[in-house]
Amino acid sequence: QVPLVESGGGLVQPGGSLRLSCAASGTFFSIVNMGWYRQAPGNERELVASFISESNTNYADSVKGRFTISRDNAKNMVWLQMNSLKPEDTAVYYCYADQWPARRSWGQGIQVTVSS
């Protein structure tokens, strides 16, 4: 497994912005994909965004146009820029990394709360 450390969560007002960061600890050259899930109380864990390549990113319909995923392959880091935040975005956000050939690692989870 790849140790993943998340940061950047917190409390933000509706309409505000927040950026989440996720970094793989140590040196790992076999990570081929990274992305983000989230889970709100009472809800199923939801795929928010995935980064396969610069030309191949995917977003949940609920966040499309508001969230942007980016990645630094050399540093094995991934970010989630969240704009125009809504109360419905309140959740615990988990980053993940897929390591060749088929192993998924998870971050510890970080709270994002959108409230006035």
Side-chain angles (χ1 to χ4, degrees):
Q1 280 192 308
V2 178
L4 300 175
V5 179
E6 301 178 37
S7 62
L11 174 66
V12 65
Q13 293 184 335
S17 298
L18 206 61
R19 190 178 78 153
L20 305 181
S21 299
C22 177
S25 300
T27 302
F28 303 96
F29 299 106
S30 60
I31 297 176
V32 297
N33 184 42
M34 300 184 79
W36 296 88
Y37 280 77
R38 69 184 181 186
Q39 187 168 24
N43 293 346
E44 297 290 330
R45 184 170 294 191
E46 173 190 28
L47 178 63
V48 177
S50 63
F51 190 106
I52 302 172
S53 67
E54 289 286 352
S55 59
N56 191 359
T57 57
N58 296 284
Y59 299 90
D61 289 341
S62 59
V63 307
K64 192 171 297 182
R66 300 187 298 118
F67 290 11
T68 303
I69 188 171
S70 58
R71 181 185 173 191
D72 185 328
N73 291 345
K75 296 182 178 180
N76 287 320
M77 296 185 66
V78 66
W79 297 266
L80 186 67
Q81 178 67 46
M82 304 182 292
N83 298 327
S84 301
L85 283 162
K86 304 175 181 179
E88 306 92 270
D89 297 317
T90 297
V92 176
Y93 285 70
Y94 301 86
C95 70
Y96 70 88
D98 291 334
Q99 189 176 11
W100 182 266
R103 176 185 292 178
R104 175 159 290 182
S105 300
W106 294 92
Q108 80 279 10
I110 190 164
Q111 179 69 46
V112 172
T113 301
V114 184
S115 179
S116 298

